[in-house]
Amino acid sequence: MIRRVLPACFALLLAACSHLPLPAGQNDDEDAIVLMIGLDGLRYDALDRWNAPNLQALADRGVRAERMHPVMPSKTFVNFYSLATGLYPEHHGMVSNSPWDQHHHRHFSAREGSPQDPFWWDGEPIWITAERQDVRSHIMFWLGSEAPFDGDYASVWHPYQHDMPYDDRVTEVLSWFDAPEDERPRFGAVYFDHVDTVEHRAGPFTPEEGEAVAEVDRLVGNLVAGLEARGLLERTNIIIVSDHGMAPVSLDRLIMIDEHSDLDGLFVEEFSGNYGPGLEPFLMAYGADDAVERAYAELQNVHPHLTAYRRQDMPSHWHFDYPGRGPDLFILADPEWLITRTDADLSNPYLSGLRGQHGYDNHAEQMGATFIGAGPIFPQGTRPDAFENVNVYGVIACALGLEPAETDGDPAVVERITGGNCPAN
Ligand SMILES: [Zn+2]
């Protein structure tokens, strides 16, 4: 402990060292900072296809995974919350972007306050683990951060504002680090939707994707430069994650589900909104066994790019059967295909303009997500094989010297990512 803490004490005002000695069991690596940057929809291979000098520089001096597997389904809410908790959806409960809970007859709804309602968010997010071990955490827009965990929140969190300019987010994050040491976060997280938003409209492999990657690269560069200007870069572990990849889609690849089954007696979450059927990678259907069996039989071998799964048929790598929220029948398209109904309003530009989609099998290559880690705990220039995103919680706990909560991650994988460089607890 002395060896690690003393240099910082000499470098800082004596007041910053006044917390010594630490109570037993508390982390002793007072220097380490983690800044996690969430880049929605950044495919695992985007960095290979586009010029992104700031992200590439982080990869060069740290770890870049060959690919990171999202959890199933490869949707945004599901995955950002698995990144935060280290849990599969079967344990954290956020099984889609708008889960239906058939035990409680409740529908997740942002307009009705579900992002703030702990009913929907099980599991201990990393910012709670940190705060409870006296590691201050500031969060800008991470999914799950608006809901309390046993009454606790991060020290700083914000209700989501989709239209908050990205540069303002950077400015605010950097302002956190202008505070005195004891008011500064040691864990910070910030979210940018940009690549996902652009790719849903333009699709991957388009010039628009390249421009979106350049824009988030610029924002990452500004964050890194801001930390460097404050003399904090060397002690900061920067972690770049995305939630999922993206597959190109087209109105030429639609599966009209009602031409094969009327799904009679089943509640289909994706068809329950106010705007009619959308263009979906999957349908989550709920109902009695006889209705499930009828629809399951009707959907056998009806389309080469469609598969229906009963609860007992689901592949073991999915892990999303949270009690009451896992579907009774899960109807899944192959990547690049979309499920809809013949009454969908395809003249609606929101539907006709869809060029990128995700939510497909989480091990499908195109759903692969990005992981980059650079900083004191990360070995330089390594490219670990693909791993699941439920290990990121453990990586952060390692970097901050925290005692982790129980997760679905694998300590051996965390060791492979970090090179076993975790500071001692
Ligand atoms: Zn997303």
Side-chain angles (χ1 to χ4, degrees):
M1 179 176 90
I2 299 297
R3 187 169 49 83
R4 198 171 272 125
V5 170
L6 273 182
C9 296
F10 288 131
L12 297 164
L13 294 175
L14 196 61
C17 300
S18 61
H19 50 264
L20 295 174
L22 293 167
Q26 207 162 309
N27 80 78
D28 65 351
D29 193 53
E30 292 295 299
D31 280 336
I33 296 170
V34 170
L35 179 62
M36 179 160 67
I37 304 170
L39 302 178
D40 201 319
L42 187 72
R43 281 174 56 121
Y44 75 99
D45 58 352
L47 225 56
D48 302 321
R49 293 183 286 111
W50 302 108
N51 187 30
N54 295 297
L55 289 165
Q56 189 61 53
L58 292 171
D60 289 345
R61 71 176 175 88
V63 174
R64 178 186 168 202
E66 291 288 344
R67 182 168 127 198
M68 184 162 68
H69 295 307
V71 295
M72 189 67 182
S74 50
K75 285 287 190 182
T76 301
F77 284 36
V78 187
N79 278 281
F80 277 114
Y81 203 53
S82 283
L83 287 160
T85 58
L87 297 173
Y88 294 127
E90 68 188 2
H91 294 138
H92 69 49
M94 190 52 49
V95 303
S96 80
N97 281 353
S98 54
W100 161 251
D101 190 311
Q102 65 174 335
H103 289 175
H104 298 85
H105 296 277
R106 290 182 65 175
H107 211 142
F108 184 94
S109 164
R111 270 172 302 180
E112 289 163 26
S114 298
Q116 296 85 34
D117 185 347
F119 171 80
W120 294 104
W121 309 89
D122 273 1
E124 180 177 309
I126 187 68
W127 52 84
I128 298 296
T129 307
E131 294 278 354
R132 289 182 171 181
Q133 295 175 53
D134 293 328
V135 170
R136 193 177 171 89
S137 299
H138 292 194
I139 311 297
M140 174 161 275
F141 303 156
W142 210 272
L143 281 154
S145 63
E146 298 180 41
F149 177 83
D150 280 352
D152 290 343
Y153 296 87
S155 289
V156 170
W157 60 277
H158 295 270
Y160 185 57
Q161 291 171 255
H162 189 71
D163 55 359
M164 181 177 180
Y166 301 133
D167 285 308
D168 292 358
R169 303 182 198 191
V170 170
T171 300
E172 166 136 1
V173 168
L174 290 175
S175 77
W176 295 341
F177 296 99
D178 290 328
E181 178 97 14
D182 60 352
E183 295 168 26
R184 216 185 267 169
R186 285 187 51 224
F187 176 67
V190 58
Y191 165 77
F192 299 101
D193 63 282
H194 188 57
V195 174
D196 179 85
T197 301
V198 168
E199 285 197 45
H200 276 301
R201 296 293 109 200
F205 312 105
T206 58
E208 289 89 343
E209 181 193 41
E211 290 164 19
V213 170
E215 169 66 355
V216 296
D217 185 72
R218 182 185 71 82
L219 298 164
V220 167
N222 289 347
L223 286 165
V224 171
L227 289 168
E228 190 164 29
R230 288 161 178 78
L232 296 172
L233 186 58
E234 281 190 13
R235 53 190 271 202
T236 303
N237 293 289
I238 295 174
I239 296 175
I240 309 282
V241 288
S242 66
D243 48 346
H244 51 70
M246 189 74 71
V249 293
S250 158
L251 297 190
D252 296 334
R253 293 189 295 274
L254 300 183
I255 302 167
M256 299 296 178
I257 196 73
D258 53 331
E259 291 178 351
H260 310 296
S261 171
D262 58 11
L263 304 177
D264 199 25
L266 296 175
F267 171 76
V268 179
E269 194 283 320
E270 287 73 19
F271 290 161
S272 69
N274 296 327
Y275 306 105
L279 302 176
E280 307 291 345
F282 61 78
L283 304 177
M284 289 192 171
Y286 302 80
D289 288 350
D290 58 338
V292 169
E293 290 300 331
R294 187 167 54 242
Y296 176 74
E298 288 168 350
L299 291 172
Q300 295 308 301
N301 303 314
V302 293
H303 193 287
H305 298 287
L306 184 81
T307 310
Y309 300 85
R310 295 165 299 184
R311 186 183 308 279
Q312 65 269 30
D313 306 323
M314 299 204 194
S316 60
H317 65 278
W318 283 1
H319 300 288
F320 65 79
D321 190 19
Y322 183 92
R325 299 186 198 169
D328 298 311
L329 186 69
F330 187 68
I331 303 166
L332 178 65
D334 288 344
E336 305 189 14
W337 287 80
L338 296 164
I339 305 170
T340 189
R341 248 179 9 204
T342 46
D343 61 339
D345 177 12
L346 297 179
S347 68
N348 178 337
Y350 183 76
L351 299 189
S352 63
L354 191 73
R355 295 291 178 273
Q357 187 58 292
H358 55 88
Y360 302 105
D361 188 291
N362 58 322
H363 282 189
E365 176 260 334
Q366 299 203 69
M367 295 299 100
T370 295
F371 176 93
I372 300 168
I377 65 156
F378 293 106
Q380 188 174 350
T382 57
R383 292 295 305 268
D385 290 341
F387 57 81
E388 297 181 292
N389 71 5
V390 292
N391 293 293
V392 171
Y393 171 104
V395 171
I396 299 167
C398 159
L400 294 169
L402 300 173
E403 190 62 47
E406 195 177 326
T407 73
D408 293 315
D410 177 352
V413 173
V414 172
E415 185 165 339
R416 185 154 58 83
I417 299 166
T418 60
N421 293 327
C422 309
N425 284 319

